[in-house]
Structure formats: C-alpha cells, structure tokens
Amino acid sequence: MARKIVDLSIPLQNAPMENNPTVIRYVNHTELGRSRTKAYKFPDTSYFPDHMHCATEDISSIATHSGTHLDSPYHYGPECEGKPSKTIDLVPLEWCFGDGVVLDFHDAERGHNITVDEVKAKVAALEGKGYKIKPMDIVLIRTDHTTKYLYTPDFEQTHPGVSVDATAYLCEELGIKVMGIDAWGFDIPTSKMVKLRLEGNSKDFFGSHFYGRSKEYIHAEKLTNLDKIPEFGFTVSMLPIKLERCSGGWIRAAAIIEE
C-alpha cells in the first residue's frame, strides 16, 4: 500500500508576521569553520575538510504561537474544568495523532464567524458520504485563508473563525479534543472582536479561546494545504515541540494518506 504525506505547516521565516516576529541568523559552513577554528585553538581552517565546518542557525525573538503551532489548555486560562490547565509539555501525545476529518468552509466570507448550524450541516453532509465523526477525531476547519493570503498585509485581520457555539458543539456533542484551522487564528480577527467587545458583545470576544477555560480542548492555528487532502480517510499528526511550562508549541503538522 502506497503512503502519501501532505505537509500542513507553513515555514518559520524571518519576521513573517507582524504579531509573531521571528529572527533567524544563518551561519554557513565557512563562517562556522572560522569561528570554531578560534574556539578549538586550531592554527587555521585547514583542520576542517575544505576549510568548512557544519552549518547552523541562531533563532531569536520567536513566540511559541509563531508559525504553525498547537495551543495548550493553559493558553486559554490558568484553570480548566476545575484543575490547573495543561501546558504544552503536558498535553498527551495521544491527542495529537489520530483520524482526521475536514469540514470545508473554503467559500466562507473573509471575517465570517462560522456558526454551529453551519458546522452541523457539514457534519451531516459527511454522514451522507459515509463518515460519522467519532470522539477523539481531529477536526480540521478548511478556509483556504493561509493558502491564499499568507503573505498579504492583511492576513492577520481577515480570516474566517469558528464561533464558540460551534466549538462547544464539536467538543460536547461529538467528543472532539483537538481541532485546527488554516488561518491566522481560530477565532475571528482580533480587530473585529475588539470592535464587537466595545459594542457590548462579550460572547464573540475570543469566544473559542475562552471556552477552553471551562472545557478541555486544544486547537492548531496557521495550518495550510487543507485543500490538498480528502474530507476523511487520513491520519493527522501534529505533535508539539516539548517546551516546558509553555502555552503552545510549534508543530510540523501532516496528513498521512494510505493509497
């Protein structure tokens, strides 16, 4: 049986996004050879093959929520379900590897807050195609926003998001623990949420994030290539880097398709 692996991650690059700056200093083979010549007290670089050592990089000014990453319950609040929230190093790896399913909202308007009824309709459509979502499936919300707008100036402030009612339905009614979205964030854009909050709407102000204070679940953000995988019949891997006591961690998310 052939196996196809689809990369669902965006690259970490030098300052790719305004709110998640990343600085990468690239040290090539020749440069490291020169610096290590001094460190090792060699007379010259001829002690290295071709006068070159190995390459390396120094990464700084990077946030745990830069690039494709997985939030931990601690990101949403200090407590969840009456207990201390799990940081990313305490998230069970079993949560992060399992059967995947795509809910397709690629035609949603930019900035749209996906409703619970819209999610229920997609779930019903999947059942009509022969797949019933089961507890602990990993649900991926396809918007195509990352694919289309990642390198545009307004990428962070124009994506569709998932309403708190829709998130609660997936968690409480279907038993979902892990979700993901191919957009900058899981909720609607921050600028839109702030405007709503100033108008008195607290429900949609980081609704899906703050929901994680009462119900234990996690979601991945800044996925990509969800248009390149089927709606079901694949495995998702989104194992996070083990960062002690952190609220999130970078992932090399992938869909594994047995063909």
Side-chain angles (χ1 to χ4, degrees):
M1 182 179 291
R3 176 177 295 166
K4 179 181 180 181
I5 298 179
V6 179
D7 191 353
L8 305 182
S9 305
I10 65 172
L12 279 171
Q13 298 172 304
N14 276 316
M17 298 168 197
E18 180 181 350
N19 289 341
N20 296 129
T22 302
V23 177
I24 304 175
R25 186 175 77 86
Y26 296 90
V27 182
N28 64 30
H29 310 82
T30 300
E31 183 180 351
L32 192 67
R34 290 170 180 164
S35 66
R36 293 298 166 84
T37 292
K38 295 178 181 178
Y40 300 162
K41 295 183 169 55
F42 289 162
D44 54 54
T45 58
S46 66
Y47 282 69
F48 296 106
D50 301 317
H51 299 269
M52 296 185 296
H53 200 357
C54 302
T56 189
E57 294 77 37
D58 296 323
I59 302 179
S60 59
S61 301
I62 184 172
T64 54
H65 298 265
S66 295
T68 306
H69 66 277
L70 186 66
D71 290 346
S72 77
Y74 181 74
H75 178 55
Y76 314 133
E79 292 187 354
C80 179
E81 299 183 5
K83 299 176 292 186
S85 299
K86 290 181 178 68
T87 49
I88 199 66
D89 51 319
L90 300 179
V91 168
L93 297 183
E94 290 80 6
W95 293 7
C96 310
F97 188 92
D99 293 338
V101 59
V102 175
L103 300 184
D104 187 356
F105 292 97
H106 79 276
D107 55 353
E109 292 185 7
R110 301 175 77 177
H112 176 64
N113 205 16
I114 297 169
T115 70
V116 63
D117 287 338
E118 289 169 334
V119 167
K120 287 180 177 179
K122 297 294 183 181
V123 170
L126 282 177
E127 292 183 1
K129 297 175 183 179
Y131 189 84
K132 182 177 178 62
I133 295 178
K134 62 185 180 299
M136 299 305 294
D137 277 357
I138 297 176
V139 174
L140 307 178
I141 306 297
R142 176 187 167 189
T143 69
D144 289 356
H145 193 77
T146 303
T147 303
K148 294 178 180 178
Y149 304 112
L150 176 59
Y151 298 111
T152 61
D154 61 352
F155 169 68
E156 299 180 14
Q157 299 299 334
T158 55
H159 60 275
V162 183
S163 69
V164 61
D165 290 339
T167 300
Y169 164 72
L170 289 168
C171 290
E172 297 173 25
E173 300 297 325
L174 301 185
I176 302 304
K177 203 79 166 176
V178 180
M179 308 176 197
I181 193 168
D182 58 348
W184 185 82
F186 202 77
D187 285 290
I188 55 176
T190 304
S191 58
K192 188 171 184 178
M193 289 192 292
V194 169
K195 182 177 183 295
L196 290 172
R197 186 68 187 90
L198 290 171
E199 294 171 351
N201 181 343
S202 60
K203 181 178 182 179
D204 294 315
F205 182 67
F206 289 98
S208 288
H209 276 73
F210 294 148
Y211 171 74
R213 295 181 179 181
S214 59
K215 181 70 174 178
E216 190 176 57
Y217 94 102
I218 52 179
H219 59 239
E221 297 172 324
K222 303 186 188 77
L223 296 170
T224 191
N225 291 333
L226 297 188
D227 58 320
K228 294 179 172 60
I229 59 177
E231 290 181 291
F232 54 88
F234 62 94
T235 302
V236 177
S237 174
M238 49 175 62
L239 304 176
I241 296 294
K242 196 171 186 178
L243 300 170
E244 187 175 15
R245 297 187 297 112
C246 287
S247 64
W250 312 292
I251 56 175
R252 183 65 179 269
I256 305 162
I257 306 167
E258 304 290 348
E259 298 180 323

